mmCIF file of all heavy atoms in Angstrom:
data_model
loop_
_atom_site.group_PDB
_atom_site.id
_atom_site.type_symbol
_atom_site.label_atom_id
_atom_site.label_comp_id
_atom_site.label_asym_id
_atom_site.label_seq_id
_atom_site.Cartn_x
_atom_site.Cartn_y
_atom_site.Cartn_z
ATOM 1 N N ASP A 210 -10.292 40.401 23.727
ATOM 2 C CA ASP A 210 -11.447 41.075 23.144
ATOM 3 C C ASP A 210 -11.208 41.533 21.710
ATOM 4 O O ASP A 210 -11.911 42.411 21.222
ATOM 5 C CB ASP A 210 -11.831 42.291 24.011
ATOM 6 C CG ASP A 210 -12.342 41.868 25.379
ATOM 7 O OD1 ASP A 210 -13.028 40.827 25.428
ATOM 8 O OD2 ASP A 210 -12.043 42.570 26.365
ATOM 9 N N GLY A 937 -2.912 44.204 31.012
ATOM 10 C CA GLY A 937 -3.300 45.144 29.976
ATOM 11 C C GLY A 937 -3.615 46.485 30.573
ATOM 12 O O GLY A 937 -3.136 46.818 31.669
ATOM 13 N N TYR A 938 -4.446 47.233 29.898
ATOM 14 C CA TYR A 938 -4.817 48.553 30.410
ATOM 15 C C TYR A 938 -6.208 48.878 29.912
ATOM 16 O O TYR A 938 -6.715 48.270 28.973
ATOM 17 C CB TYR A 938 -3.810 49.610 29.969
ATOM 18 C CG TYR A 938 -3.717 49.774 28.475
ATOM 19 C CD1 TYR A 938 -4.514 50.714 27.806
ATOM 20 C CD2 TYR A 938 -2.839 48.997 27.713
ATOM 21 C CE1 TYR A 938 -4.431 50.851 26.432
ATOM 22 C CE2 TYR A 938 -2.762 49.133 26.355
ATOM 23 C CZ TYR A 938 -3.551 50.067 25.712
ATOM 24 O OH TYR A 938 -3.475 50.209 24.339
ATOM 25 N N LEU A 939 -6.838 49.854 30.562
ATOM 26 C CA LEU A 939 -8.173 50.307 30.186
ATOM 27 C C LEU A 939 -8.054 51.562 29.334
ATOM 28 O O LEU A 939 -7.268 52.473 29.650
ATOM 29 C CB LEU A 939 -9.004 50.611 31.442
ATOM 30 C CG LEU A 939 -9.291 49.418 32.365
ATOM 31 C CD1 LEU A 939 -9.984 49.910 33.636
ATOM 32 C CD2 LEU A 939 -10.144 48.395 31.665
ATOM 33 N N ASP A 940 -8.816 51.556 28.238
ATOM 34 C CA ASP A 940 -8.790 52.754 27.403
ATOM 35 C C ASP A 940 -9.790 53.766 27.957
ATOM 36 O O ASP A 940 -10.378 53.571 29.040
ATOM 37 C CB ASP A 940 -9.075 52.412 25.956
ATOM 38 C CG ASP A 940 -10.471 51.818 25.739
ATOM 39 O OD1 ASP A 940 -11.279 51.821 26.701
ATOM 40 O OD2 ASP A 940 -10.741 51.327 24.612
ATOM 41 N N ALA A 941 -10.021 54.848 27.219
ATOM 42 C CA ALA A 941 -10.884 55.931 27.695
ATOM 43 C C ALA A 941 -12.316 55.468 27.901
ATOM 44 O O ALA A 941 -13.052 56.031 28.716
ATOM 45 C CB ALA A 941 -10.831 57.101 26.715
ATOM 46 N N ARG A 942 -12.726 54.413 27.182
ATOM 47 C CA ARG A 942 -14.096 53.910 27.323
ATOM 48 C C ARG A 942 -14.164 52.766 28.330
ATOM 49 O O ARG A 942 -15.149 52.060 28.409
ATOM 50 C CB ARG A 942 -14.608 53.437 25.956
ATOM 51 C CG ARG A 942 -14.759 54.570 24.949
ATOM 52 C CD ARG A 942 -15.212 54.026 23.609
ATOM 53 N NE ARG A 942 -14.219 53.116 23.030
ATOM 54 C CZ ARG A 942 -14.408 52.456 21.889
ATOM 55 N NH1 ARG A 942 -15.567 52.568 21.246
ATOM 56 N NH2 ARG A 942 -13.456 51.681 21.432
ATOM 57 N N ARG A 943 -13.080 52.589 29.068
ATOM 58 C CA ARG A 943 -12.930 51.541 30.050
ATOM 59 C C ARG A 943 -13.056 50.146 29.445
ATOM 60 O O ARG A 943 -13.477 49.187 30.093
ATOM 61 C CB ARG A 943 -13.923 51.704 31.213
ATOM 62 C CG ARG A 943 -13.712 52.996 32.020
ATOM 63 C CD ARG A 943 -14.450 52.933 33.343
ATOM 64 N NE ARG A 943 -13.987 51.839 34.182
ATOM 65 C CZ ARG A 943 -12.879 51.871 34.954
ATOM 66 N NH1 ARG A 943 -12.086 52.960 34.936
ATOM 67 N NH2 ARG A 943 -12.563 50.851 35.712
ATOM 68 N N GLU A 944 -12.698 50.032 28.166
ATOM 69 C CA GLU A 944 -12.598 48.712 27.539
ATOM 70 C C GLU A 944 -11.179 48.204 27.748
ATOM 71 O O GLU A 944 -10.204 48.949 27.555
ATOM 72 C CB GLU A 944 -12.926 48.789 26.042
ATOM 73 C CG GLU A 944 -14.390 49.073 25.770
ATOM 74 C CD GLU A 944 -14.706 49.017 24.288
ATOM 75 O OE1 GLU A 944 -13.765 48.774 23.499
ATOM 76 O OE2 GLU A 944 -15.871 49.203 23.932
ATOM 77 N N PHE A 945 -11.081 46.969 28.154
ATOM 78 C CA PHE A 945 -9.782 46.403 28.503
ATOM 79 C C PHE A 945 -9.027 46.004 27.225
ATOM 80 O O PHE A 945 -9.541 45.267 26.393
ATOM 81 C CB PHE A 945 -9.967 45.193 29.411
ATOM 82 C CG PHE A 945 -8.689 44.625 29.941
ATOM 83 C CD1 PHE A 945 -8.015 45.256 30.987
ATOM 84 C CD2 PHE A 945 -8.148 43.484 29.385
ATOM 85 C CE1 PHE A 945 -6.827 44.741 31.484
ATOM 86 C CE2 PHE A 945 -6.966 42.965 29.883
ATOM 87 C CZ PHE A 945 -6.307 43.587 30.924
ATOM 88 N N ILE A 946 -7.780 46.466 27.131
ATOM 89 C CA ILE A 946 -6.906 46.111 26.016
ATOM 90 C C ILE A 946 -5.854 45.163 26.559
ATOM 91 O O ILE A 946 -4.979 45.568 27.340
ATOM 92 C CB ILE A 946 -6.241 47.362 25.390
ATOM 93 C CG1 ILE A 946 -7.307 48.415 25.049
ATOM 94 C CG2 ILE A 946 -5.423 46.959 24.183
ATOM 95 C CD1 ILE A 946 -8.337 47.942 24.050
ATOM 96 N N GLU A 947 -5.941 43.886 26.130
ATOM 97 C CA GLU A 947 -5.082 42.837 26.697
ATOM 98 C C GLU A 947 -3.785 42.707 25.895
ATOM 99 O O GLU A 947 -3.762 42.810 24.674
ATOM 100 C CB GLU A 947 -5.833 41.510 26.706
ATOM 101 C CG GLU A 947 -5.121 40.387 27.439
ATOM 102 C CD GLU A 947 -5.943 39.119 27.442
ATOM 103 O OE1 GLU A 947 -5.861 38.353 26.459
ATOM 104 O OE2 GLU A 947 -6.696 38.916 28.411
ATOM 105 N N CYS A 1016 -8.108 45.847 38.194
ATOM 106 C CA CYS A 1016 -8.964 46.865 37.601
ATOM 107 C C CYS A 1016 -10.195 46.187 37.020
ATOM 108 O O CYS A 1016 -10.162 45.010 36.655
ATOM 109 C CB CYS A 1016 -8.233 47.661 36.526
ATOM 110 S SG CYS A 1016 -7.625 46.652 35.146
ATOM 111 N N ALA A 1017 -11.286 46.929 36.955
ATOM 112 C CA ALA A 1017 -12.536 46.383 36.437
ATOM 113 C C ALA A 1017 -12.832 46.997 35.074
ATOM 114 O O ALA A 1017 -12.753 48.212 34.901
ATOM 115 C CB ALA A 1017 -13.678 46.661 37.406
ATOM 116 N N ASP A 1018 -13.141 46.119 34.117
ATOM 117 C CA ASP A 1018 -13.456 46.638 32.787
ATOM 118 C C ASP A 1018 -14.894 47.130 32.766
ATOM 119 O O ASP A 1018 -15.581 47.133 33.805
ATOM 120 C CB ASP A 1018 -13.199 45.578 31.723
ATOM 121 C CG ASP A 1018 -14.060 44.321 31.922
ATOM 122 O OD1 ASP A 1018 -15.017 44.375 32.723
ATOM 123 O OD2 ASP A 1018 -13.761 43.295 31.270
ATOM 124 N N HIS A 1019 -15.382 47.492 31.580
ATOM 125 C CA HIS A 1019 -16.713 48.051 31.454
ATOM 126 C C HIS A 1019 -17.799 47.054 31.840
ATOM 127 O O HIS A 1019 -18.921 47.424 32.157
ATOM 128 C CB HIS A 1019 -16.952 48.526 30.017
ATOM 129 C CG HIS A 1019 -17.008 47.398 29.030
ATOM 130 N ND1 HIS A 1019 -15.874 46.733 28.619
ATOM 131 C CD2 HIS A 1019 -18.057 46.791 28.400
ATOM 132 C CE1 HIS A 1019 -16.203 45.782 27.767
ATOM 133 N NE2 HIS A 1019 -17.540 45.812 27.620
ATOM 134 N N CYS A 1026 -4.127 45.084 35.521
ATOM 135 C CA CYS A 1026 -3.729 46.266 34.739
ATOM 136 C C CYS A 1026 -2.339 46.724 35.188
ATOM 137 O O CYS A 1026 -1.958 46.574 36.362
ATOM 138 C CB CYS A 1026 -4.714 47.423 34.978
ATOM 139 S SG CYS A 1026 -6.330 47.164 34.210
#
Side-chain angles (χ1 to χ4, degrees):
D210 293 324
Y938 62 92
L939 297 174
D940 63 8
R942 294 178 297 177
R943 297 195 61 81
E944 290 185 359
F945 186 77
I946 308 299
E947 188 178 85
C1016 60
D1018 61 13
H1019 67 285
C1026 288

